[in-house]
Amino acid sequence: MAQSGGAQARCATVFATDDGPFKSFAVQASLTALKNEIEAVKAKWRVSQVTLSPARPKPNPYWRGEVTPDLYQKPDIITSTAHTTCWRGVVSPSVCTSGAKVCW
């Protein structure tokens, strides 16, 4: 997508998954992991200023093949910068994946 001055916007979509004993803990852990992913993108592309928008994540069910509809812990948490989806885990009571679109 072209921007004024001939500059071209670059974007990356990043996701992070983490778990916890309660949904609130898992949400916070996945958002913290997402911040680390965003910092990695900034370092890779050597940029300091980025814009963030929520990106709907697909679950990353590392102990099972898929997350069936009955396992989701609704509602999703959507802010201006991230979208978080949670479900009941196999080992942990709650697992969440957060996603964001990072543009510079």
Side-chain angles (χ1 to χ4, degrees):
M1 174 184 327
Q3 293 181 332
S4 63
Q8 195 165 17
R10 290 187 184 217
C11 297
T13 303
V14 293
F15 303 100
T17 301
D18 215 323
D19 61 351
F22 306 102
K23 181 180 177 182
S24 59
F25 284 55
V27 167
Q28 192 57 47
S30 71
L31 289 171
T32 298
L34 182 66
K35 286 180 187 178
N36 293 335
E37 292 295 322
I38 292 166
E39 290 303 316
V41 168
K42 289 167 67 175
K44 176 182 178 179
W45 293 100
R46 297 180 180 142
V47 295
S48 58
Q49 297 292 329
V50 296
T51 58
L52 302 174
S53 57
R56 186 179 184 145
K58 292 183 180 178
N60 181 14
Y62 34 76
W63 286 101
R64 63 178 70 183
E66 69 176 313
V67 177
T68 56
D70 60 306
L71 296 174
Y72 283 99
Q73 297 175 329
K74 294 291 182 183
D76 283 3
I77 298 166
I78 305 168
T79 67
S80 61
T81 59
H83 185 141
T84 303
T85 298
C86 301
W87 63 93
R88 288 193 316 272
V90 173
V91 176
S92 298
S94 190
V95 181
C96 299
T97 297
S98 295
K101 183 176 180 181
V102 184
C103 297
W104 60 96

